[in-house]
Amino acid sequence: MINTREIVLDCIIEILEKKQYSHQVIKQVLDKYAYLDKRERSFIKRTVEGTIERCIELDYVLNLYSKVPVSKMKPVIRSILRMGVYQLLYMDGVPDSAVCNESVKLAAKRGFVNLKGFVNGVLRSVAKKKKEIPYPVREGNITAYLSITYSMRPWIVERWLASYGEAQTEEILAELLSERPLTIRIREDLAPAKKQELLEEMNRAGMEAEQTKELPYAYHIKGADRVESIPGFKEGKCFVQDAGSMAIIEAAEIKTGQTIIDVCAAPGGKALHAAEKLQNTGMVTARDVSEHKVLLMEENIKRSGLTNIRAQIQDALVLQEEEIEKADLVIADLPCSGLGVIGRKGDIKYRIEPADIEKIAGLQRRILSVVWQYVKPGGKLLYSTCTLTEEENHENTAWLCENFPFQLIKERTFLPGKDGTDGFYLAVLTKIS
């Protein structure tokens, strides 16, 4: 018989102890156990994601009620306690006694019989005192308060406070911990009747599709157990994509017949969206650095059925001289720190360090110093990221305009809690003739 808590434990160890990517681990596990009851799969997903995103708070609580600091615990015991405290604090449907008992059993099953009493004692202490946990107060140390309350690393909190102020920062932090809606893009070239049929099919499958405010083809989906279960997904009638990501392509104002190069395209969402905008004309060349990423794009292209898009292996740092001034639009959605999508990939905040920001911004500038050359005179460069740092966003755009023949047309930052999307930045620039 499958023990869902064991699955949760293995996932948490993989992500927090072995530093595997959370979205990949969770997808692999849900695919592997697709045969489980929907409620069991939901328990696995919620407990893993919740433990990851709330880990800073969970460790704070554990350090209050454990004689052994979290940092000194054995990895398996640390993981059992983290997932146990998450269930105690945030899963009202799970009885406290069940959390404690099942956690003790897990410890014994993983070879830590001698630590059963320790696990039991810590969790029962938390269960008993969970209504009176002494959290940091806002007055006097806003960083500590926001860090523990919203489980975000202090250095990130401080950066956002400096950029967005206290009220906006708290909105961002709260939104990143809220339930993230699954957003799909329904093909714009789908006939209205076919689109209505697709929406009705989703409804019959127990899914609720709600159109977003800004984009008529963007829908939030509720009730989808797996992406593959969404009607129309396998047939390429719809694609999973955040509304902010869609808005980035909208900002480019693509026209039919254009030649477009997407220099860091995987998994291909923006490139496919751009190809749709071309309405079976022009060509989108979607490039990325590895064979694995290109194969992923080719799968998505095949599913779409579009013929005006191709995928290529290409290092964006290497200039392709034959492509100089050949593109009407270059899409530079570049590698970034990813702080804007922490709500979907909670482990990002544990991976990125302050020193990484400068390195990543430097990499972005090296790529931009190459790919700007592909833009025709009068053509456009679309620069975008999924992060919320000045260095990777506004400062790089200003640098680009100062050092190369470009003029800024528009720029926008999408903020969680304000715009109903993940965190994104875009800048559209035109090449001066």
Side-chain angles (χ1 to χ4, degrees), residues 20 332 374:
Q20 299 300 308
Y374 302 142

Side-chain angles (χ1 to χ4, degrees), residues 2-30:
I2 298 295
N3 185 330
T4 53
R5 283 185 169 83
E6 274 200 272
I7 297 172
V8 171
L9 175 60
D10 288 335
C11 288
I12 291 170
I13 290 172
E14 286 294 313
I15 297 165
L16 292 179
E17 302 294 343
K18 298 183 180 180
K19 310 303 181 185
Q20 299 300 308
Y21 292 105
S22 62
H23 65 291
Q24 293 178 357
V25 170
I26 293 169
K27 184 181 186 306
Q28 289 166 3
V29 165
L30 293 180

Side-chain angles (χ1 to χ4, degrees), residues 260-302:
I260 299 173
I261 300 175
D262 189 339
V263 297
C264 296
K270 293 182 182 67
L272 282 165
H273 194 186
E276 285 181 30
K277 290 285 188 185
L278 290 174
Q279 301 176 26
N280 294 315
T281 68
M283 176 58 67
V284 176
T285 302
R287 296 172 172 167
D288 222 300
V289 72
S290 71
E291 182 179 3
H292 168 72
K293 290 185 175 182
V294 170
L295 287 173
L296 181 60
M297 288 195 292
E298 287 178 342
E299 288 177 11
N300 288 326
I301 291 170
K302 182 178 180 181

Side-chain angles (χ1 to χ4, degrees), residues 181-185 212 218-220 239-243 246 344:
L182 176 66
T183 308
I184 63 168
R185 172 173 55 81
T212 65
Y219 285 79
H220 295 319
F239 297 85
V240 174
Q241 190 174 3
D242 187 82
M246 300 180 213
R344 297 189 190 276

Side-chain angles (χ1 to χ4, degrees), residues 310-326:
R310 60 192 176 193
Q312 295 179 346
I313 298 176
Q314 179 60 48
D315 186 344
L317 289 167
V318 179
L319 178 66
Q320 301 298 296
E321 294 190 7
E322 67 276 11
E323 300 287 347
I324 291 176
E325 296 191 345
K326 293 293 172 63

Side-chain angles (χ1 to χ4, degrees), residues 241-250 269-270 273 333 414 421 424:
Q241 190 174 3
D242 187 82
S245 177
M246 300 180 213
I248 288 172
I249 293 300
E250 284 288 343
K270 293 182 182 67
H273 194 186
D333 183 53
F414 296 85
T421 69
F424 290 99

